[in-house]
Amino acid sequence: MSINLDRSQVIIREKRLKSIVGYQGTIKDLAEQSQSGCLKNASRGFSQATNCNSGCAQGYLSSITDAAIVNHGPIGCAGDVAGANAGFQWGQRIRGWNQRNVRVINTNMSEKAVVFGGDKILKEGILKAYERFKPKAIFVTTSCASGIIGDDIESTIKSAEAEIGIPVVPVFCEGFRSQIWASGFDAAFHALLTRIVKPAEKKRPELVNVINFVGSGRALITEIFGRLGLVPQFGTQYSSIEEISRWSEAGATISICGTLGGYMGNGLEQNFGVPYVTALQPHGISGFDDWLTKLGETVGKEKEVEEYLAEQKILAAPELEEIKFKLKGKKVVVGMGPSFAHNYIRFLEDLGMEVVWGFSWHYDAKHDHGGCPSCTVELTKKDKDIPVSVSDQQNHEVINLLSKVKPDIFIGRHPGMSVWATKMGIPAIMVSDEYSAFGYQGTIEFGHRIIDALTNNNLALNLSKRINLPYTEWWLEQDPFEFLEQNNKRTESENKKNVAVR
Amino acid sequence: MRIRKMSLCVEQIRHVCTLGAFESVLAIKRAVPIVHAGPGCVAKLWTTLGSQNGHQGSGYVGGHAIPCTNASEKEVVFGGTDRLRTVITNTFDVIDGDLFVVLTGCTSDIIGDDVGEITRKFQAQGKPIVYVETGGFKGSNLIGHELVLDAIIDQYLQPQQVEPGLVNIWSSVPYQNTFWSGDIEQLNILISSLGLKPNVIFGPDSSVDAVNNIPKAQFNLVISPWVGLRTAEHLEDKFGTPFLHYPALPIGPTETSNFLRTVGEFAGIDPSVVENVIRKQEDRYFYYLERAADTLLETRLLPRRFITVADSLYALGIAKFLTNDMGLIPEKQFITDDTPTNYQSDVAAEFAKFTNDIVAETTFSNDGGFIEEEIRRLKIRSRPLILGSSWERVVARDLNAYQLSVSAPIGNEMVLSKSYVGYNGALQLVEDIYSVVLNDFM
Ligand code: SF4
């Protein structure tokens, strides 16, 4: 579906990308069902707390350097701002900047506002944000409460904008609207694409937009791109409004994550003529090779890329061999967002490990360029079919499965998940930095991280001996996906095969 | 003294909404919250109250283990009661717990799901379950904390024979007050030292049995400027349990000794027992303080004045200690717990009761942006000491102030069993403050 910038509201992933949060099967089946268009979401008779898209939208936008956010809702909907601020402190720290706090104001919606409407407090919030921060733009993020009571956000915003003369941009991200929190990234990018990015006055073919999060890999990418004659422009976090307004000037856009970058990348391509590189994620060798090669093809630097990669291959070969030798046959369970999950599955298999289960917290049946996600398609090319599920951080499914398959290690990415494997005595790694396992050196470092985690697991072992899990014995005896109401649910015997105790 | 009405907008939040009280449920061992709200509420509220607040993790059944309906558009349009019924039914099979508390969020409260009706059906089957409407717009999680206790009192507790000497303590709010579990342990030690028996409702020694025993207490002890008063009043109404309201968190010898005497007198304990405890504890305290005195008096760049940005519980407790015991001078005290207006003048009055007729000027505001502006406006001659949250680290750096995090959110420290309560807590606070000072130039 093409990205429509005439709308003020982004179309949620369920509708746009046929995304789901409930599925159990194998990677080949998942890809086949999504390609044939018959993939359906399965609901659950039991569910646990997940996340909402407002968190992604707000968190992502809050680190634009000269913008402010007004979160229109009760104070709890800004509860994640302390976390966004912690991330922001880190991002400023690694850039050597003077650290300041994120600029987010919450309208503190009370019972009165819920009954009589919140338009007035929203207007006050916007004016207050302008007075306090003198920002170059203000983003207004919505909440369940403001969404349900039907505040006329757009007209309030228009009137505030007329008064203060800077863009005041709505970001529709009510938590109940989408079950897929990544819809919040799209909401954030939609706001940038509709109101901030301007048509290019001049083109800069050497410039490459790099969509990422905190951006710890900046120095390395700058060096690599420099050898190719390219200049990276990182963002949109830690960028200014002015910088983002000129993202249309670039020769290409590339992203560290297909889940994150798809909307912005395709939006820039469809509406501003900047090609988006839809490659694998640059984690692990094959991912990095593909990422850089596709970039080279897009901007006409094939030869330079080829040379660079050939050189890296030789340099890294001995250490990679050593790592593969140590990790051969180790059983791993992966639990991440869809792009990271399917990319890490490939990467860990490339290291010689055996991925015994892959959880992705949601799954997009297609991406905004139209096709099935490349990282998923890539996995279907392997002989081995990998058991996977789509479980939006459903802890009961994860714990139950881990207790049955007993992997050597769990590798996750979202806060509050890897810790549960640890409590079961299973070594765990949380990939919080998006540039973990990036490129050749990153791959080697990550390999050593796994080896270290396997070498001394005493913390997890000691914890597991003394800690009780909150699950009943009954539950741990059930099939992990007992509560998944999947129409074409695999037969029990097939299930047993996948979840066999290994 | 100045009393300010809450500002409408809030920047740099320090507490969350009513639904944040699911953390109070988690503070009772083997008690399980069931959240009927949008998909993001738990994760968001937990950020301010847990992960970015002394790095308090999910524990037994917190974080992503909390049963939740993750209310979507469908529930908003067609009502969420069916979904909630299903989740509750299955929770009983899946989660191993002793008490279940259903808490609602904005979506459910605005569309008007009849959560009471559903819960009563489970109660009628003999399930240990209560419900509470905690839609975010009702107020802060401190109010939510009291609403959860109201629900337990009204829907769950049964009258009991009074057990002499048993005391329920209502003080630090779990997870909101970063040091709550350590505080509870210290308060229990203090109360036990008088020969009384604390009924431990929250924290490492808690149990649902203690919850059941709430009506058994000889009296309720509220150690807090205002949070918990409603609970004690409610218990007095319902079970006739008397209560003692002690408005300040006892930190340091002056306040702690006064606290012990007040409680001893209320409980009818022989004064010689109380004085004995006090003498021993004070001797120990001054043994250490004497050793610190050289540095406290002779180091360069000592702070003379302090600003507190905290919940009323900590602002008052810390201000009293630093003023009455450590000889510092209180600058403005910012009270951030969204103190209900009807309590504000009582709370402010406590900040006028220091030795040497010192009065600490109070400002009530939960808007960190406003507080930051006010702090920047203050003219302070020496390097000030700012006792606040992680949010104040930026302004402290700008003003060349010393900063110690004592109130939510605290992302820059790991807090496990630490507490600033009592005699020992005061020593800990002195260690922490002066370590910041000494670290600054070494
Ligand atoms: S789900 Fe709704 S109410 Fe909950 S945090 Fe998200 S926007 Fe706020």
Side-chain angles (χ1 to χ4, degrees), chain B residues 195-215:
Chain B
L196 295 165
K197 188 179 163 208
N199 185 38
V200 190
I201 297 151
F202 302 112
D205 300 319
S206 67
S207 65
V208 171
D209 283 344
V211 176
N212 295 327
N213 288 342
I214 289 172

Side-chain angles (χ1 to χ4, degrees), chain B residues 13-26:
Chain B
I13 73 165
R14 287 140 208 279
H15 57 73
V16 294
C17 67
T18 339
L19 176 57
F22 70 77
E23 295 281 358
S24 298
V25 178
L26 292 174

Side-chain angles (χ1 to χ4, degrees), chain A residues 321-331 348-349 351-354 408 454:
Chain A
E321 277 318 304
E322 199 186 310
I323 289 166
K324 282 187 192 164
F325 178 74
K326 287 189 176 148
L327 294 183
K328 183 141 191 54
K330 295 280 184 229
K331 293 180 173 40
L348 296 167
E349 288 266 333
L351 282 186
M353 298 179 82
E354 188 193 346
D408 294 302
L454 293 172

Side-chain angles (χ1 to χ4, degrees), chain A residues 78-86 101-102, chain B residues 10-16 44-56 175-179 309-311 336 366 368 387-393 403-413 415:
Chain A
D80 56 332
V81 174
N85 194 46
N101 291 322
V102 288
Chain B
V10 178
E11 186 194 335
Q12 304 174 359
I13 73 165
R14 287 140 208 279
H15 57 73
V16 294
K44 284 194 169 204
L45 304 177
W46 173 38
T47 304
T48 297
L49 297 180
S51 56
Q52 289 302 319
N53 197 21
H55 301 270
Q56 308 182 64
Y175 294 92
Q176 167 69 33
N177 298 137
T178 326
F179 311 98
V309 188
D311 284 358
T336 57
N366 58 351
L387 301 139
S389 68
S390 301
W391 289 117
E392 275 70 46
R393 291 180 67 72
Q403 189 268 352
L404 180 69
S405 295
V406 298
S407 58
I410 300 182
N412 68 304
E413 271 185 50
V415 177

Side-chain angles (χ1 to χ4, degrees), chain A residues 44-52 54-55 58 74-83 85-86 89 99-102 104-111 114 121 124-125 128 132-133 144-145 148-149 175-179 392-396 415-417 419-420 423 468-472 474-475 483, chain B residues 7-13 15-17 38-48 52 58-73 76 83 86-87 90-96 106-107 110-111 136-140 338 366-370 372-373 390-392 394 397 409:
Chain A
R44 285 181 177 81
F46 176 71
S47 53
Q48 289 160 302
T50 64
N51 272 300
C52 74
S54 132
Q58 210 156 274
I75 194 165
C77 295
D80 56 332
V81 174
N85 194 46
Q89 299 308 312
Q99 286 158 264
R100 65 158 177 85
N101 291 322
V102 288
V104 183
I105 281 186
N106 168 273
T107 58
N108 200 9
M109 193 179 261
S110 65
E111 198 133 28
V114 168
I121 58 169
E124 266 171 51
K128 181 63 69 186
R132 270 191 195 164
F133 311 123
C144 288
I148 299 177
I149 64 173
F176 68 84
R177 203 70 92 188
S178 172
Q179 290 288 295
D392 47 351
Q393 291 188 304
Q394 290 305 307
N395 193 267
H396 64 289
M417 219 58 218
V419 62
W420 290 92
K423 288 184 191 182
N468 293 319
L469 294 172
Y471 296 100
T472 58
W474 176 84
W475 170 244
F483 289 112
Chain B
S7 73
L8 288 171
C9 309
V10 178
E11 186 194 335
Q12 304 174 359
I13 73 165
H15 57 73
V16 294
C17 67
C41 302
V42 165
K44 284 194 169 204
L45 304 177
W46 173 38
T47 304
T48 297
Q52 289 302 319
S58 26
Y60 178 64
V61 64
H64 292 298
I66 296 178
C68 178
T69 55
N70 297 326
S72 67
E73 189 126 39
V76 168
R83 175 90 200 127
T86 314
V87 170
N90 290 323
T91 297
F92 285 121
D93 286 337
V94 175
I95 304 287
D96 187 12
C106 292
T107 46
I110 297 177
I111 63 174
F137 49 83
K138 290 211 170 77
S140 74
D338 205 5
N366 58 351
D367 176 10
F370 165 80
E372 186 177 327
E373 278 169 28
S390 301
W391 289 117
E392 275 70 46
V394 165
R397 268 194 293 263

